[in-house]
Amino acid sequence: METCVRALDAAYQGCGWVGPFGAPLPPECAAVAVGRRAAGDPCRSSLECQGGLHCAGVTPSRPGRCAGSAPAGTACGTGVDPLAALLRLDADRLRPECAGACRQHACVAPGGRGAACVSSAGCGAGLRCADGRCFEGAVAHAGEACGGGDCAPGLRCVAGRCLTPRPAGTPCRTDFECLGGCVRSDGGASTCGMRCDLR
């Protein structure tokens, strides 16, 4: 926890990050919860489960059970994980509910390299979705095609490519390009900077 707090303090230094998206969660914070419950144990969050197990069947009023990723045809996407949301952790990516992807509340088989996809969850292990196809590599690097949340830490997916958010004073067209926000000036070019009007 102390490592996460130090990383958060560093991420929130200064005001250049202030904008519509906020500072990204530092990688050091991904380990604040260590699951100890084994397969079959009751749970209220996937973060309580060991390894890659997830909390299957959990609802706001009923606990679930720690289980491995489900095969194609299994019902999915019906639970909520408030602890993961509170800690800003993507439990679905860290501990997938399906061995493939969850589409329309049913697990489907993962796509292989070159298969059509909508998101990286639809691709197999070690693959990511970009430009509607499954590519090699779980994360995209600067300049590479991306499909959303699959860019390497510190990068952002903008117009289908991973890029490093630009610092204050850099020309911009949209908030997505900037570390903070894209500030429109009166009659001049827009530049990245602190943007408080959306808070």
Side-chain angles (χ1 to χ4, degrees), residues 149-177:
D150 55 346
C151 292
L155 302 178
R156 187 177 291 157
C157 189
V158 179
R161 298 280 170 205
C162 291
L163 62 79
T164 302
R166 297 173 182 163
T170 308
C172 59
R173 289 172 299 193
T174 69
D175 289 325
F176 293 102
E177 301 169 61

Side-chain angles (χ1 to χ4, degrees), residues 54-184:
H54 73 283
C55 191
V58 65
T59 72
S61 60
R62 189 182 71 232
R65 298 258 174 206
C66 292
S69 297
T74 306
C76 62
T78 58
V80 294
D81 199 326
L83 178 60
L86 179 67
L87 296 176
R88 293 176 56 198
L89 297 174
D90 186 354
D92 291 334
R93 189 169 54 85
L94 296 171
R95 298 151 187 271
E97 186 176 4
C98 299
C102 183
R103 288 199 188 132
Q104 298 178 342
H105 297 293
C107 292
V108 296
R113 183 177 178 181
C117 60
V118 175
S119 70
S120 293
C123 300
L127 301 175
R128 61 186 167 79
C129 185
D131 294 334
R133 297 280 170 202
C134 294
F135 280 77
E136 285 291 336
V139 296
H141 300 283
E144 294 182 343
C146 56
D150 55 346
C151 292
L155 302 178
R156 187 177 291 157
C157 189
V158 179
R161 298 280 170 205
C162 291
L163 62 79
T164 302
R166 297 173 182 163
T170 308
C172 59
R173 289 172 299 193
T174 69
D175 289 325
F176 293 102
E177 301 169 61
C178 302
L179 183 62
C182 189
V183 182
R184 277 115 179 115

Side-chain angles (χ1 to χ4, degrees), residues 3-67:
T3 303
C4 174
V5 170
R6 284 195 299 270
L8 285 169
D9 285 343
Y12 289 111
Q13 287 292 316
C15 298
W17 58 271
V18 176
F21 308 110
L25 187 70
E28 293 87 346
C29 295
V32 295
V34 179
R36 300 192 185 279
R37 296 186 182 260
D41 286 352
C43 54
R44 285 281 185 189
S45 168
S46 291
L47 301 179
E48 296 177 308
C49 302
Q50 295 177 359
L53 300 177
H54 73 283
C55 191
V58 65
T59 72
S61 60
R62 189 182 71 232
R65 298 258 174 206
C66 292

